[in-house]
Amino acid sequence: MATATLTDARVRALKPRKAARDIRDGKLNGFGVRVTPSGAKRFFVHCQHEGRRIWRIVGDADLMDAGEARARAVAMLAAIRQDGPLPAQPEDTVFEAVAEATFRRHERLWKPRTMQVNRGYLRKQILPRFAGRQVAELTREDVTTWFASLRATPVAADRSMPVLSVIMREAERMGFREEGSNPCLGIRRYRRKGRERFLSDAEIRTLGACLRAREGEQTLAIAAIRLLLLTGCRRSEILTLRWSDLREGALFLRDSKTGPRTVWLSRAALAVLDGMDRSSPWMFPGRNGKRPVCGSWLTVAWHEIRAAAGLGDVRLHDLRHSYASVALKGGESVIAIGRLLGHSAAETTLRYTHHADSMAAEAAATVGAALTEG
């Protein structure tokens, strides 16, 4: 970390780099200026007190000169050593202000649905605990205590933690926290029993029979369910399809969870599409035909169908898991299955390998029985 006597001319001359950098003052220990990649410059104090590292923003270098910042830093360091009240911090370093700035910056990075879900976790799980506090004051103990308080809702806890971590990382980037001080890193998530549900061969046959029996009643819903089972696509990917997305025996998804991708269709999947009405530009049009149907429409239909088929614990998303299971049974590689499902990372596909272990155990039992009988 560079050290130099901070003057107005020296601070003005500092240029941004790809990563944030801190320059310590040669006159006052614990005082310095941070230059962020965006070019923002903020004076800070950083010291040890009673075994704790303390980091505070002194002020924006565009709004105060080096002499004023150094005098303010002297007062802040003295207050820290005496456990006295610190001078008021800038409003833009309060947790909720940093959180809002983080969400604005991620509007281009997160999909609308991701943004909506993350805002829900921010509002319900995160802000009730951290609103009103200075973002630089949040410690690992604060985060672990908050995380422990959510043990009754482990799913919400596990999904809120990455949101808080992004906010803390953004606070570092903005110069409001010490570099590498993210208090969320390394905190173990709650262990939850895996929710993957795979349809057995017998259950797939039962579901197929149930769909055939209802073809005259819920034609569009049955087509959607068959496509989910025959392609491994997500519900949103199927329900937002346009007929123009079907070309040369494949679906060209304009957008998905992992970006644009191609879905190769089997003869059975093509047969489903051949039997559908094409009067609307949407494969699954809503009432007026100008927009696609909403996801809840298919969920309601699925609840009726799964009850009739005796599959009351099976979700629509489990049809995607079942597609992967059948591919695995057929000897497809993890790489091939990942491409079929549109996974961006192999680690996502590898979660299905535990199903391969159970298949291997079944095979070993079958071979063992056959050899014993022989």
Side-chain angles (χ1 to χ4, degrees), residues 351-371:
R351 68 183 180 182
Y352 293 109
T353 57
H354 72 274
H355 190 59
D357 292 339
S358 65
M359 290 191 303
E362 291 176 12
T366 302
V367 171
L371 291 174

Side-chain angles (χ1 to χ4, degrees), residues 9 29 35 106 117 151 153 163 189 191 241 253 271 317 335 346 356:
N29 286 336
V35 184
H106 281 71
V117 170
R151 66 171 63 88
T153 54
V163 178
R189 309 293 168 84
R191 290 188 176 184
L241 284 170
L253 303 186
H317 197 70
I335 294 175

Side-chain angles (χ1 to χ4, degrees), residues 1 3 25 34 39 44 46 53 55 69 103 106 120 144 176 185 188 204 215 223 225 259 270 277 320:
M1 187 180 298
T3 301
D25 185 37
R34 166 168 291 186
F44 66 86
H46 183 209
R53 290 197 304 177
W55 170 280
F103 273 71
H106 281 71
T144 53
F176 296 156
L185 297 181
R188 297 182 65 179
I204 291 174
E215 277 180 320
I225 291 167
L270 288 169
D277 179 74
R320 178 173 166 85

Side-chain angles (χ1 to χ4, degrees), residues 207-220 222 226 301 303-309:
L207 176 59
C210 186
L211 294 176
R212 285 192 296 275
R214 289 171 166 257
E215 277 180 320
E217 307 169 20
Q218 298 167 295
T219 306
L220 205 60
I222 287 171
R226 282 177 170 156
H303 285 174
E304 295 177 8
I305 291 168
R306 74 177 185 179

Side-chain angles (χ1 to χ4, degrees), residues 195 197 302-303 306-315:
R195 181 57 185 86
R197 169 73 157 85
W302 171 246
H303 285 174
R306 74 177 185 179
L311 303 173
D313 66 330
V314 179
R315 307 166 303 169

Side-chain angles (χ1 to χ4, degrees), residues 100-117:
E100 186 56 37
T102 301
F103 273 71
R104 285 199 304 270
R105 183 168 186 264
H106 281 71
E107 283 178 349
R108 295 177 289 106
L109 306 175
W110 289 340
K111 293 182 180 296
R113 175 60 179 165
T114 302
M115 176 65 73
Q116 180 185 358
V117 170

Side-chain angles (χ1 to χ4, degrees), residues 152-219:
T153 54
V155 174
D158 284 352
R159 292 181 179 174
S160 299
M161 180 66 82
V163 178
L164 179 59
S165 183
V166 168
I167 295 170
M168 292 295 100
R169 190 171 68 235
E170 186 69 9
E172 291 182 23
R173 191 193 69 81
M174 294 169 72
F176 296 156
R177 286 184 64 91
E178 181 187 2
E179 192 80 9
S181 66
N182 190 335
C184 301
L185 297 181
I187 294 178
R188 297 182 65 179
R189 309 293 168 84
Y190 289 102
R191 290 188 176 184
R192 307 192 309 273
K193 191 177 291 186
R195 181 57 185 86
E196 286 87 357
R197 169 73 157 85
F198 302 88
L199 292 175
S200 66
D201 293 343
E203 288 174 327
I204 291 174
R205 288 193 293 271
T206 300
L207 176 59
C210 186
L211 294 176
R212 285 192 296 275
R214 289 171 166 257
E215 277 180 320
E217 307 169 20
Q218 298 167 295
T219 306

